[in-house]
Amino acid sequence: MDGQVNFTFSNMYVDDLMGDFLKLMLYLSVAVVLLYSRGYMNDRKMETTEYYLLAIYATLGMMVMISANHFLTIYLGLELLSLALYAMVALERDSARATEAAMKYFVLGALASGLLLYGISMIYGATGTLEISSVAQAIYHQAGNRTVLMFGLVFVVAGLAFKLGVVPFHMWIPDVYQGAPAAITLFIASAPKLAAFAMAMRLLVNGLFELAEQWQSMLMFLAVLSIVLGNLAAIAQTNLKRMLGYSGISHMGFMLLGLMSGVVGGDRHFALNAYSSSMFYVISYVLMSMASFGVILLMSRSGFEAESLDDFRGLNKRNSWFAGVMAMVMFSMAGIPFFIGFFAKFSVLQAVVAAGYIWLAVLAVVMSLIGAFYYLRVVKIMFFDEPADSAPITATTDMRVLLSLNGVAIAVLGLMPQTLMSLCAYSLLGSL
Amino acid sequence: MTGIPFLSLAIWVPIVGGLLALATGSDRNASVARFVALFFALAGLAVSIPLYTGFDVSTSAMQFVETYSWIPRFNINYVLGVDGISVLFVLLNSFITVIVVLAGWEVIQEKVAQYMAGFLIMSGLINGIFSALDGVLFYVFFEASLIPLFIIIGVWGGPNRVYAAIKFFLYTLAGSLLMLVALLYLFMESGGSFSILDWHQLKLGMDAQTLLFWAFLASFAVKIPMFPVHTWLPDAHVEAPTGGSIVLAAIGLKLGAYGFLRFSLPIAPDASQAFAPMIITLSLIAVIYIGFVALVQTDMKKLVAYSSISHMGFVTLGFFIFNPLGIEGALVQMISHGFVSGAMFACIGVLYDRMHSRQIADYGGVVNVMPKFAALFMLFSMANSGLPATSGFVGEFMVALGAVQYNFWVGFAAATTLIVGAAYTLWMYKRVVFGAITNHHVSELTDLNNREFVFLAILAVCVLAMGIYPYPVTEVMHASVNDLLKHVSASKL
């Protein structure tokens, strides 16, 4: 990690600090996810070679996305990830819900890939190259047809929005989150978000930075819709997985707020601050998301899915420690200090205010308030209600230890966010 | 002055104590949890006392300052310090924590460790609010302190506790989120500083000041609470367990008022002057109208809750008439209200533990079976209605005098509280304590036990001492208040 940028495979592939750091985080989250899901998959006779194989291929796909320096490399990585994920969702063959979710995911995912590919071909048409750094150069020199380029940009952003799961390309999220086995939902809700962030950085920042003002206004639109719709829809949910799906939509909207604050009126010196706050946000989100689904897995046992909100009733009376962990995750997602979620929101809002969008910051905090309601409801159910179920929690020791560490990390990183924040900023320095 | 970081100790000793109490786990170790909690509450008080004894009353500068870098990425520092305005609240809070631990001693039988831990952690966080000199540090403590009280109300509260807890949390959060945007705006305007003292010197245009004033008002008005955003308080008070009500009334309400003095007035002085008539009007509505609302309550806790809103109206009134008598009177009123309202809720808690009813109509003739209790309750009721020689009188009198200096009719309207306050408090006292015993449960009541007597007696001593000789309290705040007023009268435009 000496900060040098190396290109390889005829400039199709890049090795830089951002890539290294994101890959490190990716390894970490995939490892945690696989450990969390072991018991759950085993109980359901799904802990098979296919599962691990698919997970590893998905990981490979994400690594390729993170390090891509070519539009086709990105596409390749994305397809590798997506195909593995479609199959993973359908892993529970006998479940009608899971198959339905996989079908939806596949059809919509294929459509999004098509949009992305279409956009890429337009950009190729306008600039005559697909290598990300050459595209940036070509746009800088005003080469090619602006209209075609704009068309390409719109399609690329749409494809990206689908992968991030932001409104109005979010339709697959609630169904897939709810329908897939909890362990697979955990997978989808964690590591791929890091890869999607990397993809956004590669495509929009490394490749199309000259068009920042244009894609920023698109991202603002997506972000506002996601934050509003994600938070409002989450209130109505009774299924925890679905609720976390909607909450994830709003979190990704928040992350986009950081990405859209980088360039203000042609002035680029906010860029590092804004993008690193987004990166910090996405890493924090992955950490919280893993813990929240981790608790769902912990509570599930063979023949029983702990996915309805009611299954968490009175958890404090059954197991205070894990009720505490879940409460920390919920407060953190709601953005209450001293948890990492607060500093994630803080740094993104700071970037938004610095870019002069005070109204947007106000809108975002108002929506966080609405968001706080459904997170609080989970805490309420765990702490204030009487238990409906007194079965002991049967998770293995490694799961318990890891989940505890995950919870503690949310608190400790909330007390001392500096290291992670500066790592994010430092790793982006070379890529801007 | 020594190099011992007393402020950090006042924050972290209770928090560590709370975590240790939490570690005692299940209710089998309940008595261990209680003693751990009492020990750390006393330790927290012990480390707060040097803040007063070592306080230099001749200066308005921050004292006991500690500075460490926290998040250099955003220039956020862990800066603590107290001046004459905040030091007393750190003391009051540490003191009330001891009372609360004692008040919940036998009453709480379920999840004792979590109950005690909640109060200790909250105590540390609140000390953090009063001593933070960095905007983000303040905000972080301010928000985090919501969590323990939310859990306390929701777990150990009354029948409608869930509604009350969520209402409390969301109301307060709504205000403070706007404050967060204000803090970020100030960070940007000041060129990258979160230091509250830097912000005091920052020049701001009238538009910016107006927006900031409203953002801070949203946060602090809810917390105080001011009319018309006060409706969460009666709910929260009624449903909270006794300890929760004591902390909420004695300390929780002071946080918003403190915020006015630390943020609104010095950062946006011109806007504060411009909006003073509005705040004064709202304060007078709180004093008079809410006073009458208190009069008709049938639930004792609700009555005292409304009386708190009315008393806090006096505090905001004192702040926004911009003279030394007003502000000092308001501060004295805040301290006094901390003792008096805490004691009132403790007394109601004593009755509730025995009868499981807060309805005034269920009582009557309590003096016949609980003479010691009746005597102490009498003292606190008198203090609540502002009788001379109790602490309640000093603050109200000073604010009323200040208000008369500002405008005779404002002073006149404010002074009616002495009548209304006496009416609702004493009428309640009469109906609960005097008269014939009509309810046969009342005849079976037992008088205060030693534990209850001790903590009520300590509160009684404080109330009387402050009423008879308030100088040790006013002396401390003098320099800081004068400096604040000088600062507020200098325009920032």
Side-chain angles (χ1 to χ4, degrees):
Chain A
M1 298 253 276
D2 55 358
Q4 223 181 327
V5 182
N6 297 311
F7 294 95
T8 172
F9 297 118
S10 335
N11 290 350
M12 300 277 272
Y13 205 73
V14 60
D15 169 40
D16 58 3
L17 271 182
M18 180 186 93
D20 292 346
F21 184 59
L22 279 175
K23 278 188 224 168
L24 203 63
M25 291 291 133
L26 185 74
Y27 277 133
L28 207 65
S29 66
V30 171
V32 172
V33 165
L34 289 182
L35 276 167
Y36 279 173
S37 50
R38 226 170 45 121
Y40 179 93
M41 296 305 266
N42 196 358
D43 282 345
R44 283 157 190 74
K45 309 268 178 296
M46 287 193 291
E47 200 196 10
T48 51
T49 329
E50 292 93 317
Y51 169 60
Y52 287 109
L53 193 73
L54 289 169
I56 296 300
Y57 274 127
T59 312
L60 178 64
M62 291 188 272
M63 313 288 272
V64 171
M65 281 164 78
I66 289 175
S67 265
N69 188 41
H70 195 281
F71 280 97
L72 285 183
T73 322
I74 288 193
Y75 185 72
L76 191 73
L78 182 62
E79 284 305 286
L80 187 54
L81 165 69
S82 304
L83 287 172
L85 288 183
Y86 304 145
M88 281 165 89
V89 173
L91 213 52
E92 201 175 4
R93 272 174 310 190
D94 302 330
S95 157
R97 252 185 3 172
T99 351
E100 184 197 329
M103 201 62 203
K104 266 187 195 150
Y105 193 15
F106 175 70
V107 171
L108 289 174
L111 183 69
S113 296
L115 289 180
L116 185 67
L117 208 52
Y118 191 52
I120 290 176
S121 70
M122 293 267 194
I123 289 175
Y124 180 72
T127 61
T129 173
L130 280 178
E131 190 193 313
I132 286 176
S133 20
S134 322
V135 168
Q137 293 250 316
I139 301 175
Y140 181 71
H141 294 299
Q142 303 280 334
N145 184 326
R146 270 315 248 208
T147 318
V148 178
L149 199 57
M150 275 303 137
F151 259 99
L153 177 64
V154 170
F155 283 109
V156 165
V157 169
L160 190 64
F162 178 86
K163 290 300 155 193
L164 284 168
V166 289
V167 182
F169 303 97
H170 67 288
M171 277 77 130
W172 61 279
I173 291 237
D175 291 331
V176 171
Y177 273 44
Q178 187 180 2
I184 307 298
T185 314
L186 163 69
F187 194 98
I188 297 176
S190 53
K193 307 287 180 195
L194 292 169
F197 171 78
M199 182 169 140
M201 287 299 290
R202 296 288 180 215
L203 288 176
L204 299 181
V205 177
N206 292 5
L208 306 169
F209 200 48
E210 287 301 320
L211 306 176
E213 309 260 351
Q214 280 80 18
W215 56 254
Q216 279 184 184
S217 48
M218 296 182 214
L219 293 192
M220 185 195 291
F221 182 71
L222 298 172
V224 168
L225 284 181
S226 307
I227 294 173
V228 171
L229 190 123
N231 279 319
L232 290 179
I235 293 177
Q237 307 309 319
T238 53
N239 181 294
L240 187 60
K241 278 156 77 186
R242 208 177 172 85
M243 188 198 100
L244 287 172
Y246 280 109
S247 116
I249 294 173
S250 77
H251 281 291
M252 286 301 112
F254 240 100
M255 191 273 277
L256 289 184
L257 284 184
L259 281 182
M260 54 133 278
S261 321
V263 178
V264 190
D267 182 355
R268 295 177 176 187
H269 80 265
F270 297 113
L272 178 64
N273 178 27
Y275 302 152
S276 67
S277 68
S278 267
M279 188 163 168
F280 180 69
Y281 197 97
V282 78
I283 292 174
S284 315
Y285 171 71
V286 168
L287 197 65
M288 297 186 287
S289 178
M290 285 194 307
S292 60
F293 283 103
V295 176
I296 295 181
L297 293 180
L298 176 91
M299 303 272 297
S300 301
R301 49 184 185 271
S302 41
F304 176 71
E305 304 282 337
E307 58 176 43
S308 151
L309 279 175
D310 285 340
D311 297 333
F312 287 76
R313 249 172 228 294
L315 184 58
N316 186 34
K317 294 222 166 70
R318 293 167 62 193
N319 189 322
S320 307
W321 170 250
F322 287 110
V325 168
M326 189 65 166
M328 280 201 295
V329 178
M330 289 297 123
F331 282 123
S332 178
M333 282 196 174
I336 310 287
F338 282 92
F339 305 110
I340 189 171
F342 167 70
F343 285 101
K345 285 220 162 70
F346 174 87
S347 52
V348 165
L349 285 177
Q350 175 270 337
V352 171
V353 171
Y357 299 111
I358 294 183
W359 66 270
L360 200 52
V362 171
L363 178 84
V365 297
V366 169
M367 283 298 145
S368 310
L369 177 70
I370 293 173
F373 172 74
Y374 58 83
Y375 295 124
L376 280 184
R377 193 171 53 185
V378 177
V379 178
K380 172 228 148 197
I381 282 173
M382 292 189 303
F383 281 79
F384 306 167
D385 290 354
E386 289 301 315
D389 168 2
S390 55
I393 289 167
T394 55
T396 53
T397 316
D398 56 337
M399 166 92 186
R400 285 164 188 265
V401 172
L402 202 62
L403 189 54
S404 307
L405 285 178
N406 195 338
V408 170
I410 288 172
V412 169
L413 285 171
L415 283 171
M416 291 173 279
Q418 167 65 19
T419 318
L420 189 56
M421 279 181 178
S422 46
L423 269 177
C424 290
Y426 179 68
S427 70
L428 284 180
L429 261 179
S431 317
L432 287 180
Chain B
M1 242 177 276
T2 54
I4 303 174
F6 285 115
L7 280 174
S8 279
L9 286 174
I11 296 172
W12 296 104
V13 163
I15 292 183
V16 169
L19 294 176
L20 284 178
L22 210 52
T24 61
S26 73
D27 284 339
R28 269 171 297 154
N29 301 326
S31 58
V32 182
R34 290 192 186 107
F35 279 105
V36 168
L38 183 60
F39 175 78
F40 278 94
L42 287 171
L45 181 59
V47 296
S48 308
I49 286 171
L51 296 175
Y52 182 79
T53 53
F55 192 83
D56 178 2
V57 296
S58 61
T59 168
S60 66
M62 290 293 163
Q63 304 184 31
F64 301 98
V65 175
E66 297 168 34
T67 309
Y68 304 97
S69 178
W70 183 24
I71 309 176
R73 166 92 171 76
F74 292 115
N75 197 12
I76 300 171
N77 297 304
Y78 177 83
V79 193
L80 303 177
V82 282
D83 62 2
I85 295 172
S86 50
V87 66
L88 293 168
F89 293 106
V90 174
L91 233 73
L92 177 68
N93 177 43
S94 298
F95 168 75
I96 290 291
T97 307
V98 179
I99 300 287
V100 161
V101 168
L102 286 174
W105 198 260
E106 295 144 10
V107 184
I108 301 297
Q109 290 294 344
E110 234 178 80
K111 296 266 171 204
V112 179
Q114 291 185 4
Y115 179 85
M116 293 297 176
F119 280 108
L120 282 175
I121 292 173
M122 185 157 56
S123 166
L125 294 174
I126 289 173
N127 279 342
I129 299 173
F130 285 123
S131 43
L133 293 181
D134 181 281
V136 175
L137 190 66
F138 174 89
Y139 183 82
V140 161
F141 282 127
F142 196 75
E143 288 277 85
S145 69
L146 296 179
I147 300 177
L149 196 54
F150 171 72
I151 304 261
I152 287 166
I153 295 177
V155 176
W156 293 274
N160 201 12
R161 58 187 197 274
V162 174
Y163 170 76
I166 290 186
K167 188 170 177 184
F168 155 77
F169 198 101
L170 291 182
Y171 249 80
T172 347
L173 188 66
S176 32
L177 282 170
L178 288 176
M179 173 165 74
L180 179 63
V181 179
L183 298 183
L184 290 169
Y185 179 78
L186 281 166
F187 174 68
M188 196 180 68
E189 285 293 307
S190 63
S193 167
F194 273 115
S195 158
I196 297 174
L197 297 180
D198 286 355
W199 290 347
H200 286 187
Q201 308 304 331
L202 185 67
K203 291 260 178 264
L204 289 162
M206 193 63 191
D207 289 343
Q209 283 196 31
T210 307
L211 286 175
L212 287 170
F213 180 82
W214 280 96
F216 285 125
L217 182 68
S219 172
F220 301 138
V222 170
K223 200 86 183 177
I224 286 182
M226 283 170 69
F227 178 87
V229 286
H230 62 280
T231 61
W232 63 272
L233 187 76
D235 285 317
H237 264 316
V238 168
E239 299 303 330
T242 304
S245 291
I246 295 176
V247 170
L248 189 56
I251 310 293
L253 308 188
K254 311 302 177 301
L255 298 173
Y258 170 74
F260 272 125
L261 293 187
R262 189 60 86 224
F263 289 89
S264 306
L265 295 188
I267 291 176
D270 301 291
S272 301
Q273 303 266 15
F275 289 106
M278 180 193 77
I279 303 283
I280 290 174
T281 312
L282 290 177
S283 305
L284 287 177
I285 294 177
V287 168
I288 298 166
Y289 166 71
I290 300 291
F292 280 109
V293 172
L295 201 57
V296 298
Q297 297 306 313
T298 55
D299 179 312
M300 286 190 274
K301 263 191 162 179
K302 247 193 176 141
L303 190 147
V304 181
Y306 279 111
S307 121
S308 292
I309 301 169
S310 165
H311 282 122
M312 291 311 287
F314 240 80
V315 172
T316 44
L317 173 68
F319 288 167
F320 281 84
I321 53 181
F322 302 110
N323 60 36
L325 264 178
I327 294 190
E328 283 185 19
L331 284 167
V332 171
Q333 168 84 338
M334 281 158 75
I335 305 277
S336 150
H337 181 255
F339 293 130
V340 176
S341 67
M344 290 296 279
F345 281 115
C347 285
I348 296 169
V350 165
L351 287 178
Y352 182 79
D353 294 340
R354 290 168 171 68
M355 291 269 289
H356 296 284
S357 165
R358 293 180 309 259
Q359 296 302 315
I360 296 173
D362 289 347
Y363 292 88
V366 170
V367 68
N368 297 310
V369 284
M370 299 176 75
K372 276 193 274 180
F373 170 79
L376 286 167
F377 194 22
M378 165 82 106
L379 174 70
F380 298 132
S381 300
M382 291 297 180
N384 199 43
S385 45
L387 185 81
T390 63
S391 64
F393 175 72
V394 184
E396 290 189 3
F397 187 65
M398 286 169 79
V399 174
L401 274 185
V404 169
Q405 280 180 12
Y406 171 83
N407 176 319
F408 173 77
W409 290 107
V410 169
F412 176 81
T416 56
T417 187
L418 291 166
I419 301 167
V420 183
Y424 59 72
T425 316
L426 296 182
W427 190 35
M428 172 190 81
Y429 183 79
K430 183 218 143 213
R431 284 180 291 165
V432 170
V433 175
F434 294 141
I437 296 178
T438 48
N439 182 339
H440 69 94
H441 289 297
V442 171
S443 55
E444 291 155 15
L445 290 178
T446 50
D447 207 348
L448 298 175
N449 63 28
N450 289 338
R451 173 186 62 89
E452 291 164 337
F453 184 75
V454 166
F455 72 74
L456 287 180
I458 297 174
L459 283 168
V461 170
C462 295
V463 168
L464 278 178
M466 218 181 126
I468 294 166
Y469 189 57
Y471 180 71
V473 174
T474 50
E475 162 198 39
V476 173
M477 56 185 65
H478 232 52
S480 297
V481 168
N482 284 334
D483 188 60
L484 176 72
L485 276 169
K486 215 183 301 160
H487 187 93
V488 173
S489 55
S491 170
K492 268 190 172 187
L493 295 174

